[in-house]
Amino acid sequence: QQQVKQSPQSLIVQKGGISIINCAYENTAFDYFPWYQQFPGKGPALLIAIRPDVSEKKEGRFTISFNKSAKQFSLHIMDSQPGDSATYFCAASSPYSNYQLIWGAGTKLIIKP
Amino acid sequence: EPEVTQTPSHQVTQMGQEVILRCVPISNHLYFYWYRQILGQKVEFLVSFYNNEISEKSEIFDDQFSVERPDGSNFTLKIRSTKLEDSAMYFCASKAGAYEQYFGPGTRLTVT
């Protein structure tokens, strides 16, 4: 029940296209859902996050869509650029476990020029 | 912009040796975490620390692991007797309030 399932494992998108990464969870106590971006050899960098009281959050080219009833959330990258090529992790946390992050398995995104 | 720093960036040690990984969290943050990431795998939670004590730990964080905040700025992870399977990237993270955790660049630990 503590798992966060992420798909796809890898994704190739043409420059200018939309990249979509999906995550699903079971634990209804989760109330914070961040996305992290990680470049090789670097630490995860917080990209965007959402709480379940809203269904969508947009920051620049990055949008999180959240479906509370389906227990799913997704990251959309609009106008994808080669510089977006990285590994993306979704995560979730709950106040009942001191907000430790439970991570998805990651999606390796490659943007083709 | 304030950031989490970690030292060393790479540590090579022999099996059975003790290692200490160091982190300097963002200065006004109150919650501290250690995570690890085995090469090619997902990030895993190890331990959280608040108010000078462990608030949560995972099954990975056994008696071989300990954490300490020896002064007002540093936060350390000690592995007493390293095993081959401890080889991983270790990330420190900190947060000020309830949600956003900010990660350091990591320490790559290689146990030979």
Side-chain angles (χ1 to χ4, degrees), chain A residues 11 13-20 75-80 111:
Chain A
L11 181 62
V13 174
Q14 289 292 128
K15 180 183 172 184
I18 303 173
S19 305
I20 302 174
L75 175 70
H76 295 234
I77 306 174
M78 312 300 285
D79 187 27
S80 300
I111 307 300

Side-chain angles (χ1 to χ4, degrees), chain B residues 46-94:
Chain B
L46 293 177
V47 66
S48 59
F49 192 86
Y50 170 71
N51 202 25
N52 284 320
E53 61 183 26
I54 291 173
S55 44
E56 198 84 22
K57 60 183 180 179
S58 72
E59 292 175 356
I60 303 167
F61 194 88
D62 61 22
D63 291 345
Q64 293 301 311
F65 291 86
S66 62
V67 288
E68 198 176 42
R69 188 155 162 81
D71 52 44
S73 59
N74 289 285
F75 179 51
T76 63
L77 175 69
K78 183 194 289 187
I79 309 174
R80 288 190 185 82
S81 177
T82 50
K83 302 177 220 164
L84 292 175
E85 54 264 37
D86 293 328
S87 295
M89 282 290 286
Y90 287 81
F91 294 106
C92 172
S94 69

Side-chain angles (χ1 to χ4, degrees), chain A residues 20-78:
Chain A
I20 302 174
I21 305 170
N22 301 298
C23 285
Y25 64 96
E26 289 294 324
N27 187 352
T28 54
F30 289 148
D31 72 347
Y32 174 68
F33 303 88
W35 284 90
Y36 283 83
Q37 179 189 57
Q38 186 180 33
F39 294 105
K42 304 292 185 184
L46 180 62
L47 192 61
I48 186 172
I50 198 167
R51 298 205 60 216
D53 50 346
V54 296
S55 60
E56 187 174 281
K57 182 173 180 181
K58 185 174 179 178
E59 290 183 2
R61 295 184 295 109
F62 301 92
T63 300
I64 299 179
S65 296
F66 186 83
N67 185 329
K68 189 174 180 178
S69 60
K71 290 184 278 188
Q72 295 174 348
F73 58 110
S74 59
L75 175 70
H76 295 234
I77 306 174
M78 312 300 285

